[in-house]
Amino acid sequence: MQDPVRVVVADDHPVILFGAEQALLKFPGLQVVARARQSTELVKVLQTVACDVLVTDLAMPGGQYGDGLPLIGYLRRNFPDLPIVVLTMLENAALLKRLSELGVTSVVNKSDDLSHIGLAVQHVSRNLEYMSPSVKASLDTLRMNAGGKNEEVMLSRRELEVVRLFVSGMTIKEISEQLNRSIKTISTQKNTAMRKLGIDRDSELFQYAQSNGLLNLSSHSVGDTGGAS
């Protein structure tokens, strides 16, 4: 008899955590061996509990290892052989591209049926990639819009600076005064950054910034992030 696939589930919302676990239990051969609510708990679990696949939310604030892309990067460096299924509400092009660059081969959107979590675990446990329907649709749209070109999404230092200040709570006028640039220039740089990232609304920009760790960057470190968007 084949050994069960041991799964660790991490999410800061109890309802999602419970729903994901129940969805996984419907798949024969999958076994939930531990749960975590933030990155501190998650890393401790991974260091002490044997598991084959990690299913983790992307936005889990509060832990000492952060969340979003910085957390995924930490997990990939410290647990390089552990397949990861990422749960998220975000579908923007830059985020999906960065997850792929970090070695994540499976992303499930929380708006899709939770059964896709089980399907994703089955796939990554066999070294296969899996994207839930809405994520796949976003990737297909991205490829069509790019006309088949695989272009790098990069923000300039100034665009990153504007995004960081904007998501920190400053208005366009306040940013223009602090950086000594015109309001029109700041607005253009913000809009250009959003266009490059495939983002239409300010709320998505805040989510992107959180996922990329931009909310925690100090001003002198912004320039180091240009190639990581």
Side-chain angles (χ1 to χ4, degrees):
M1 184 175 175
Q2 192 172 3
D3 292 334
V5 176
R6 299 162 297 182
V7 186
V8 169
V9 183
D11 198 293
D12 63 328
H13 294 97
V15 173
I16 299 292
L17 198 61
F18 177 79
E21 182 172 355
Q22 293 304 304
L24 288 166
L25 291 176
K26 292 178 181 176
F27 285 77
L30 303 186
Q31 177 186 4
V32 177
V33 293
R35 297 146 213 83
R37 294 280 300 276
Q38 31 85 330
S39 64
T40 308
E41 286 181 17
L42 175 57
V43 171
K44 186 175 180 181
V45 164
L46 294 179
Q47 289 171 340
T48 56
V49 178
C51 79
D52 303 304
V53 177
L54 167 63
V55 175
T56 182
D57 186 12
L58 193 60
M60 284 192 304
Q64 73 180 86
Y65 300 97
D67 69 339
L69 292 174
L71 173 60
I72 299 299
Y74 176 87
L75 295 173
R76 294 296 299 154
R77 289 191 302 274
N78 290 274
F79 307 93
D81 298 324
L82 179 65
I84 299 175
V85 175
V86 167
L87 301 179
T88 183
M89 292 295 291
L90 303 177
E91 297 174 357
N92 75 70
L95 177 66
L96 294 175
K97 184 175 186 300
R98 190 71 185 101
L99 285 171
S100 176
E101 289 170 351
L102 287 171
V104 172
T105 58
S106 179
V107 181
V108 174
N109 192 297
K110 292 182 180 180
S111 64
D112 288 326
D113 192 284
L114 290 180
S115 64
H116 290 285
I117 300 174
L119 292 170
V121 170
Q122 287 183 329
H123 277 69
V124 298
S125 66
R126 298 172 191 147
N127 296 316
L128 301 171
E129 72 172 45
Y130 185 88
M131 302 291 169
S132 68
S134 61
V135 176
K136 189 173 184 303
S138 294
L139 288 171
D140 289 344
T141 301
L142 170 63
R143 290 188 189 107
M144 280 174 24
N145 290 342
K149 295 183 223 169
N150 184 20
E151 294 184 359
E152 190 75 32
V153 178
M154 286 186 69
L155 302 186
S156 70
R157 180 187 176 86
R158 291 193 166 197
E159 289 162 358
L160 271 169
E161 195 172 32
V162 169
V163 169
R164 181 185 63 80
L165 292 174
F166 182 75
V167 299
S168 75
M170 294 178 69
T171 64
I172 297 295
K173 184 173 183 293
E174 289 169 339
I175 296 171
S176 75
E177 291 171 354
Q178 176 163 326
L179 299 180
N180 197 26
R181 299 176 208 157
S182 71
I183 290 177
K184 182 179 179 182
T185 296
I186 296 299
S187 182
T188 298
Q189 288 168 340
K190 172 178 170 281
N191 291 336
T192 300
M194 291 176 70
R195 187 176 68 251
K196 284 183 180 179
L197 297 171
I199 291 173
D200 297 319
R201 296 185 292 274
D202 286 349
S203 60
E204 293 176 329
L205 189 60
F206 280 98
Q207 291 174 320
Y208 171 81
Q210 181 187 43
S211 297
N212 279 271
L214 292 184
L215 294 179
N216 304 318
L217 282 179
S218 59
S219 58
H220 58 74
S221 66
V222 170
D224 300 331
T225 319
S229 299

